[in-house]
Amino acid sequence: MLGVAHRERLSVVQAYRFALDLTPRQERAVLAHAGAARVAHNWALARVKAVMDQRAAERTYGTPDEHLTPTIGWSLPALHRAWNAVKADVAPWWAECSKEAFNTGLDALARALTNWSDSRSGKRAGRRVGFPRFKSRRRSTPSVRFTTGAIRVEPDRRHVVLPRLGRLKLHESARKLARRLEAGTARILSATVRRGGGRWYVSFTCAVQRDAGVPARPDATVGVDLGVTHLAALSTGEVEPNPRHLDTAARRMRRLARRMSRGVGPDRRTGRRGSKRWKRARVRLGRAHARVAHLRRDGLHKLTTRLAAEYGTIVVEDLNVAGMLANRRLARRIADAGFAELRRQLAYKTGWSGGRLVVADRWYPSSKTCSGCGAVKTKLALSERTYTCTTCGLVLDRDVNAARNLAALAVTVAGSGPETRNGRGADRKTRPRGLVAVKRQPGTAKAANTGTVPPQGRTSNHELTYAS
């Protein structure tokens, strides 16, 4: 943090993305740069793979390790040296494209090989990373990244300048980025041109000095329970509806997919190219998918910005999204909701606004626990949308009950980092006798004096309904 004019500032890396309006000539130039990146990537991958296959074959012959074919480095500097030595023979047209185009492909391969190696050795957490694949001209997404050279926004804020590509027109004004650049609070680190959904975009990665914000209610705590029926249920009783953009557009997308399947598509075996009608149908289908993605991203940004700007502490669950997607009945709706993206946005937005994000343990029984007396049910079917407590008689919406339990959990959490896990010490594995992460013992609160969050949280202003 830097003290500037008696105000704290945060140094963050932020991206600004704008749509482009390219002329046919400019689009051919960008595609040429993206193709150069693909050529460099595929050449370097073939070189690394040939050496690895040769060493594997030699081991089957019983060759000692000291007599195997020497290994080659796959770091970015090593790949650069190898490419510069042969680029005149592999790509005689290399001078027509910027050096950043070849650097884009080599850098992507270097990071992919490092991730694969770290995943195999256990240095990288998460799911196993597969070996890099060759990039196809038809299936890969055209993209090129510029880190050096003339990268700037024009004074009219309607054009940008990139190396070798020149002056490109923006579809929208870049005033937000231009104001920061003129004020000296932002510095462009790189620019990436990428095509998606039938349109070209340019993304500027910038080092930005942001004023440290303060939430509107810094002492307030809110629990956020994510779900499919409702996108998010807050401990205040507010429910954010699930827009289900994919379901809304499913009918049109099926019609476009049928139209594309009836066209004459490409055939790799015979070398046949797709017809013009097939290409137009493919572009329309891609635009439909892009529109769904844009609507989903816009809704998540609005929700997370509102939560981060209002509450000082936000509590969410550590959901096993990969495991939830194994349920074939709910996989499409879970993927459409964007649980991981919502948590990712909350993680950095709470840091910008001066709040904190608390991530509850994955095994914390927020849905099975009564928010009134703390009783924990042994089983709770997914079809039971209303939580009924047999101990104190509380009747409450299932998601709201879980959100209130999450809000109450923030009281027991130590630390004030941007993303803090709970300090209850709950077990990470499920024992045969059931979950052991219990907030409090049942029966510790009377039926007439139930509550979920301390008064300073200002989220317990709700009325309870009791079963007869």
Side-chain angles (χ1 to χ4, degrees):
M1 294 187 180
L2 303 175
V4 179
H6 304 289
R7 295 188 62 183
E8 292 184 349
R9 285 194 172 185
L10 304 175
S11 298
V12 300
V13 177
Q14 185 175 347
Y16 292 84
R17 184 168 179 254
F18 305 100
L20 290 171
D21 286 336
L22 300 181
T23 63
R25 183 177 180 180
Q26 292 173 340
E27 186 172 2
R28 288 194 298 268
V30 177
L31 284 174
H33 280 70
R38 185 179 64 255
V39 169
H41 175 277
N42 291 344
W43 174 86
L45 178 57
R47 179 172 175 267
V48 172
K49 192 174 184 300
V51 174
M52 296 180 63
D53 293 343
Q54 179 65 24
R55 288 173 61 88
E58 292 174 353
R59 286 194 180 94
T60 61
Y61 304 149
T63 305
D65 291 346
E66 58 271 13
H67 297 299
L68 295 177
T69 300
T71 60
I72 58 175
W74 57 45
S75 63
L76 182 57
L79 295 178
H80 262 301
R81 289 191 295 268
W83 170 257
N84 290 332
V86 300
K87 63 183 181 182
D89 299 328
V90 177
W93 40 264
W94 65 270
E96 300 176 6
C97 299
S98 172
K99 64 176 183 179
E100 295 294 333
F102 306 104
N103 180 77
T104 300
L106 298 177
D107 179 62
L109 178 62
R111 288 186 284 107
L113 289 171
T114 301
N115 293 338
W116 170 75
S117 178
D118 293 344
S119 179
R120 289 190 63 191
S121 61
K123 296 180 181 179
R124 179 185 173 91
R127 303 176 67 179
R128 294 291 294 270
V129 177
F131 192 76
R133 298 179 179 179
F134 292 99
K135 291 190 176 182
S136 169
R137 178 181 181 181
R138 181 168 59 91
R139 297 185 178 181
S140 61
T141 301
S143 176
V144 60
R145 181 169 176 258
F146 300 92
T147 57
T148 60
I151 304 175
R152 66 176 184 270
V153 179
E154 290 289 79
D156 62 356
R157 302 177 180 181
R158 285 284 183 177
H159 295 82
V160 296
V161 176
L162 298 178
R164 297 300 295 268
L165 298 179
R167 194 167 181 258
L168 307 179
K169 183 181 179 181
L170 297 177
H171 184 73
E172 52 192 328
S173 175
R175 59 181 179 275
K176 291 185 178 180
L177 175 59
R179 289 169 183 170
R180 287 193 174 274
L181 294 175
E182 295 170 359
T185 58
R187 179 172 57 90
I188 297 178
L189 302 178
S190 65
T192 303
V193 181
R194 180 185 179 93
R195 186 175 67 183
R199 177 178 286 278
W200 287 95
Y201 298 90
V202 58
S203 301
F204 294 97
T205 302
C206 307
V208 180
Q209 298 289 333
R210 296 181 60 94
D211 293 333
V214 178
R217 300 163 63 185
D219 297 330
T221 301
V222 64
V224 182
D225 181 76
L226 305 179
V228 175
T229 304
H230 307 294
L231 178 60
L234 308 184
S235 57
T236 57
E238 180 183 356
V239 175
E240 183 72 19
N242 188 358
R244 299 181 180 179
H245 300 294
L246 186 59
D247 287 351
T248 304
R251 183 177 180 181
R252 180 172 183 269
M253 293 168 66
R254 284 195 297 267
R255 185 174 66 253
L256 293 176
R258 285 196 300 267
R259 184 177 301 175
M260 188 182 73
S261 66
R262 291 167 182 165
V264 180
D267 191 343
R268 300 177 62 183
R269 295 172 297 180
T270 61
R272 182 186 65 192
R273 296 185 178 182
S275 65
K276 292 185 178 180
R277 290 186 178 182
W278 180 87
K279 292 180 181 178
R280 287 197 295 266
R282 185 189 181 194
V283 170
R284 293 192 187 100
L285 181 60
R287 288 177 178 173
H289 280 281
R291 183 176 185 274
V292 171
H294 293 165
L295 290 174
R296 183 188 302 116
R297 186 183 300 112
D298 179 70
L300 293 179
H301 271 296
K302 290 179 179 178
L303 174 61
T304 54
T305 299
R306 178 169 60 87
L307 293 177
E310 183 175 359
Y311 299 99
T313 302
I314 302 175
V315 189
V316 296
E317 287 182 295
D318 181 21
L319 298 175
N320 181 18
V321 179
M324 297 168 65
L325 292 176
N327 186 344
R328 63 182 182 87
R329 298 179 181 274
L330 297 176
R332 186 179 65 180
R333 297 183 184 275
I334 292 173
D336 187 28
F339 294 156
E341 177 66 14
L342 191 146
R343 174 179 164 182
R344 186 191 70 86
Q345 293 181 12
L346 285 176
Y348 73 83
K349 289 184 180 181
T350 49
W352 290 358
S353 63
R356 66 167 182 165
L357 177 66
V358 179
V359 181
D361 191 88
R362 181 172 295 181
W363 304 110
Y364 176 61
S366 59
S367 298
K368 297 180 181 180
T369 304
C370 176
S371 60
C373 64
V376 182
K377 288 190 174 184
T378 305
K379 293 183 179 180
L380 184 64
L382 189 61
S383 59
E384 298 182 29
R385 305 312 307 170
T386 302
Y387 185 91
T388 303
C389 181
T390 58
T391 303
C392 66
L394 173 67
V395 177
L396 192 64
D397 180 81
R398 172 198 181 109
D399 298 333
V400 176
N401 176 74
R404 292 179 178 177
N405 287 326
L406 293 174
L409 186 64
V411 181
T412 63
V413 176
S416 58
E419 184 173 354
T420 309
R421 288 191 177 274
N422 59 309
R424 300 176 300 104
D427 290 353
R428 294 284 177 164
K429 297 182 180 180
T430 305
R431 295 184 178 180
R433 293 179 296 178
L435 300 173
V436 298
V438 180
K439 172 164 64 72
R440 55 181 180 268
Q441 295 297 326
T444 56
K446 298 181 180 180
N449 297 319
T450 56
T452 60
V453 185
Q456 64 271 18
R458 297 199 296 273
T459 59
S460 59
N461 52 350
H462 56 270
E463 298 180 358
L464 303 180
T465 306
Y466 298 93
S468 56

